[in-house]
Amino acid sequence: MLFSRTCKAAVVTLFVFKVREAKITEIKINEARENYRPAAERASLLYFILNDLNKIDPIYQFSLKAFNVVFEKAIQRTPPAEDVKHRVINLTDEITYSVFVYTARGLFERDKLIFMAQVAFQVLLMKKEVNPVELDFLLRFPFKAGLTSPVDFLQSQGWGGIKVLSDMDEFKNLDSDIEGSAKRWKKFVESEAPEKEVFPKEWKNKLALQKLCMMRCMRPDRMTYAVRNFVEEKMGSKFVEGRSIEFSKSYEESSPSTAIFFILSPGVDPLKDVEALGRKLGFTIDNGKIHNVSLGQGQEIVAENALDVAAVQGHWVILQNIHLVAKWLSTLDKKVERYSIGSNEDYRVFMSAEPAPTPDAHIIPQGLLENAIKITNEPPTGMHANLHKALDLFTQVPWDDLRYLFGEIMYGGHITDDWDRRLCRTYLSEYIRVEMLEGEMTLAPGFLVPPNSDYKGYHEYIDENLPPESPYLYGLHPNAEIGFLTVTSEKLFRTVLEMQPKESDAGGGTGVSREEKVKQVLDEIIEKLPEPFNMLEIMAKAAEKTPYVVVAFQECERMNILTNEIRRSLKELNLGLKGELTITTDMEELSNALFYDNVPEFWTNRAYPSLLGLGAWYADLLLRVRELEAWTTDFALPTTVWLAGFFNPQSFLTAIMQSMARKNEWPLDKMCLSVEVTKKNREDMTAPPREGSYVHGLFMEGARWDIPSGVITDARLKELTPSMPVIFIRAIPVDRMDTKNVYECPVYKTRMRGPTYVWTFNLKTKEKPAKWILAAVALLLQV
């Protein structure tokens, strides 16, 4: 009995001891878990950034399973440390860089900076090292509209941004400092690479993000470089080096369950790397261990048989251009998944496909993309790299190849756009001529046609004589690069803004919720939205249906369709926000558009081409309404017509010809438009012409109009789209058209050009038209 009691007491004591020990162990585990939490939080953040990349292109798909593989390998590669704190820092750094490398090799060059910036911004937000309000300014770039810049080195929009910044405590007096020290700021702003220069006065002590905010106002064209420098400063130089990874390294990460997916670019064959590696490892087409199937009609069964054999015998299967067999892709997805388990360890699948031109056209199944190692192969950029790339395609005496390349492949029916064909014809006429062989001729400014040499000598000539990369090499004005870089910067910030987590403080640290922000924008639009045009009243005013009156009717009807849709969709969303209607997909898309300052797609479908953000677009719409209201009061043709204000400017230009044809009884198909650029601005005009029309509101890109001499001339640096004087347009018979010393200048609605083509205006020039063709000179209705 005593022994039994003693045993029970011992058991109880042991139990109590074990419970205490378990609690101590639990505390230690919790402490260890908390120590490693920063590494886990960083990994979680990175995965959700990866998961959002499909907003840029749906071909960017990543699974949690694939991410875990990268995560575990990063842990294995992390160097040891004596204490936990340094171990966690090493883990966090290695996880971040491993995920970056894994992801970046599958992104196009144009998207890599977006990814780098998003990683940097989100990491710094998590560490509370950036101010959300300042980041929101950088991404959105709110500016005070309607202001005139008091200094000549800042555009009005940039000055409007400076004024918004100056309202923040950290940027107080920035506007007055710029005005008071204009000379010092001018030197900084107009430097070649201001992102490398020191900011004037005490502004040089501002934080890196604050300097980005100021730089965005002053030099938007340099923001891609500035953001790259920011990423390098905050994350390390290895994140911006941009070195390509050897294919063999990517192959080491593949397995029977992890395919390699090549995202194709024009003019690049990535599969030569597969074949080269295969030869080293004993896999070739000749020995039957590589099955190379180029997908197309009837090849699906061949590909299926290849997969069946390869999975059992450990072969490689190359499936090229899988985007060409849309209906078979679900079968391929299932087959690849089936053989991902239990196959021969040497079995590998390599696939290639082109990215879809639009998200709606994307057809590659998610399963094929998200578990695969994605690799992009793009052609080299820049004149230097492309010249070497072109030379690498030839042998020492390639005359037959050259004749076939120029005559059949490059220009033989492959270019369908008339303006692109004109450009190519101009290049050929400028370069392929007798002077190439019989005299000195420059292929680009400062780059003479090389003398006779051998294959190696031409490579050396390029290295020694080609001037530094610049727009001049392509016949373009330096403004072309400024414009391109500005657009790239805008796209970068817009994309990063749209990738911000919805759960974050949507107002950018202002304390305003996402829903409140949307409601605020909604109310502002509704408040200013004009009433529809009363078409019965307007038609009753017109005594005669002239071509101009018909144009006015059509424009009013189109405006009614647009404003009615704006009113309907906003009222519907308003009810949804109040909880009186269920939020639909369309309402969600409208809400997102209002929040991100985008023009909703179902508004643009009823509107006109425009690249403006929602705020500027709506202000522009109200101006268009005002123009129509003034015109339809008595249908008298305005003194000068705002050509950009039309949904369909072609209809107005056609109306000019129709009016002249009726008046003079000329056949319409024998007429054309005569374009005369005046020396006056809109404010100088007092009455409309007796025939034809004055038009205003056009801008020139690629050059400028010299008012004193009345001809096209070289653009001034940083004047990307100088405005044109008033233009006098009238109709004349075709045989009276002056075609000497003129440049046939295309007119487009927006800088996107292409599908926004309106008309061709013949403009006077003292230079050869070829100069302006190569400089891509055009007139734009909206900038």
Side-chain angles (χ1 to χ4, degrees), residues 25 42 93 186 200 235 272 284 304 320 366 376 429 448 502 532 588 636 679-680 706 711 739 778:
T25 303
R42 177 67 60 87
D93 290 344
K186 180 182 175 74
M235 304 295 292
K272 66 180 187 299
T284 66
E304 289 184 37
Q320 299 190 52
Q366 185 175 349
T376 53
S429 65
L448 290 168
K502 287 187 177 181
E588 181 71 23
K679 296 181 184 293
K680 297 181 179 181
D706 186 62
V711 294
T739 57

Side-chain angles (χ1 to χ4, degrees), residues 122 279 529 636 657 763:
Q122 290 301 314
R279 284 192 292 271
L529 190 65
M657 292 202 296
L763 301 180

Side-chain angles (χ1 to χ4, degrees), residues 410-411 414-428 746 748 753-754 773-774 776:
M410 292 179 69
Y411 310 117
H414 286 267
I415 302 172
T416 56
D417 183 85
D418 290 339
W419 298 106
D420 290 341
R421 291 184 71 85
R422 181 179 76 159
L423 177 62
C424 282
R425 285 197 303 270
T426 304
Y427 270 122
L428 289 170
Y748 297 98
R753 302 195 177 194
I773 293 172
L774 297 181

Side-chain angles (χ1 to χ4, degrees), residues 382-582:
M383 186 74 79
H384 189 274
N386 271 292
L387 282 174
H388 281 300
K389 180 79 173 179
L391 270 175
D392 288 337
L393 298 174
F394 300 116
T395 56
Q396 179 67 28
V397 188
W399 291 110
D400 287 340
D401 293 332
L402 285 173
R403 277 191 288 269
Y404 187 78
L405 184 68
F406 292 138
E408 304 299 330
I409 297 177
M410 292 179 69
Y411 310 117
H414 286 267
I415 302 172
T416 56
D417 183 85
D418 290 339
W419 298 106
D420 290 341
R421 291 184 71 85
R422 181 179 76 159
L423 177 62
C424 282
R425 285 197 303 270
T426 304
Y427 270 122
L428 289 170
S429 65
E430 288 290 302
Y431 292 131
I432 300 182
R433 57 190 193 194
V434 68
E435 287 85 352
M436 289 186 73
L437 301 177
E438 295 182 359
E440 284 197 350
M441 173 182 165
T442 58
L443 295 175
F447 188 54
L448 290 168
V449 171
N452 288 336
S453 184
D454 59 9
Y455 182 72
K456 181 182 177 184
Y458 287 124
H459 276 289
E460 292 173 349
Y461 184 84
I462 292 169
D463 288 331
E464 295 170 3
N465 296 281
L466 185 69
E469 187 77 17
S470 78
Y472 287 121
L473 291 183
Y474 304 89
L476 298 171
H477 191 275
N479 284 351
E481 183 178 39
I482 294 173
F484 169 76
L485 292 173
T486 301
V487 170
T488 304
S489 298
E490 292 296 330
K491 182 181 178 184
L492 164 71
F493 292 122
R494 171 62 54 187
T495 307
V496 173
L497 172 65
E498 293 177 2
M499 291 176 69
Q500 299 306 295
K502 287 187 177 181
E503 295 76 18
S504 66
D505 180 12
T510 60
V512 179
S513 72
R514 183 188 183 94
E515 188 173 304
E516 288 170 337
K517 171 77 173 174
V518 170
K519 186 70 167 66
Q520 178 185 341
V521 176
L522 184 153
D523 290 340
E524 287 177 4
I525 295 176
I526 286 286
E527 181 185 352
K528 297 177 182 177
L529 190 65
E531 290 300 315
F533 288 99
N534 189 319
M535 296 307 298
L536 293 176
E537 285 185 8
I538 289 174
M539 295 173 76
K541 291 180 187 176
E544 180 186 357
K545 281 197 175 181
T546 66
Y548 295 128
V549 170
V550 171
V551 171
F553 286 168
Q554 292 171 344
E555 291 292 317
C556 290
E557 286 174 341
R558 289 190 179 102
M559 186 59 75
N560 279 352
I561 292 171
L562 174 57
T563 55
N564 287 340
E565 173 58 23
I566 293 174
R567 184 176 289 103
R568 182 205 64 79
S569 58
L570 290 178
K571 286 184 176 179
E572 183 181 67
L573 176 60
N574 197 26
L575 291 174
L577 295 175
K578 291 178 180 178
E580 297 177 20
L581 281 180
T582 303

Side-chain angles (χ1 to χ4, degrees), residues 105 108 262-266 268-270 272-273 375-379:
R105 69 181 164 195
F108 290 114
F262 293 101
I263 304 173
L264 296 175
S265 295
V268 176
D269 177 20
K272 66 180 187 299
D273 294 329
I375 300 175
T376 53
N377 290 79
E378 295 180 271

